[in-house]
Amino acid sequence: MNDHDQAVLQLFSALSDKNRWKILQMLSKGPVKSITLIAQALGVSTSAAVNQIAVPEKTNLITRIKRGKYHRIEINTELWRRAQALVSNH
């Protein structure tokens, strides 16, 4: 399997979970200031939210910027648009 195929599989993995999809939808409206806010929105623990964030983070679909104990989470808007286009075409 080549690097491109691997990247596509990772991207689909990031998009395939309902909680990750909710996170991406939330982030598409603007950055979120903390993982706790994401956890509360999903109704899950903070550690579960961290695990969910890690998958799209590996694909560079989202970025986590650490400032002290706070994490600002942002979506890569260009990659998000491309991912949505890919999903809507199939």
Side-chain angles (χ1 to χ4, degrees):
M1 183 176 303
N2 63 37
D3 289 342
H4 174 74
D5 291 344
Q6 187 65 31
V8 170
L9 288 174
Q10 287 178 338
L11 180 60
F12 275 107
S13 177
L15 300 173
S16 67
D17 179 84
K18 71 177 182 175
N19 281 335
R20 288 193 292 268
W21 186 259
K22 288 178 185 177
I23 291 168
L24 294 167
Q25 290 289 328
M26 186 185 318
L27 293 173
S28 71
K29 295 176 174 93
V32 176
K33 295 180 182 170
S34 76
I35 293 172
T36 302
L37 292 174
I38 291 173
Q40 290 171 346
L42 296 176
V44 299
S45 68
T46 303
S47 63
V50 168
N51 289 336
Q52 292 295 331
I53 289 167
V55 177
E57 190 175 23
K58 287 178 187 174
T59 67
N60 296 317
L61 192 52
I62 64 173
T63 303
R64 186 174 8 166
I65 302 162
K66 299 174 186 176
R67 294 196 176 142
K69 66 179 183 174
Y70 296 102
H71 296 221
R72 178 182 169 100
I73 301 101
E74 300 176 349
I75 196 162
N76 176 332
T77 54
E78 179 58 31
L79 188 53
W80 174 238
R81 276 188 233 126
R82 289 171 44 204
Q84 285 182 307
L86 184 63
V87 170
S88 67
N89 288 333
H90 296 291

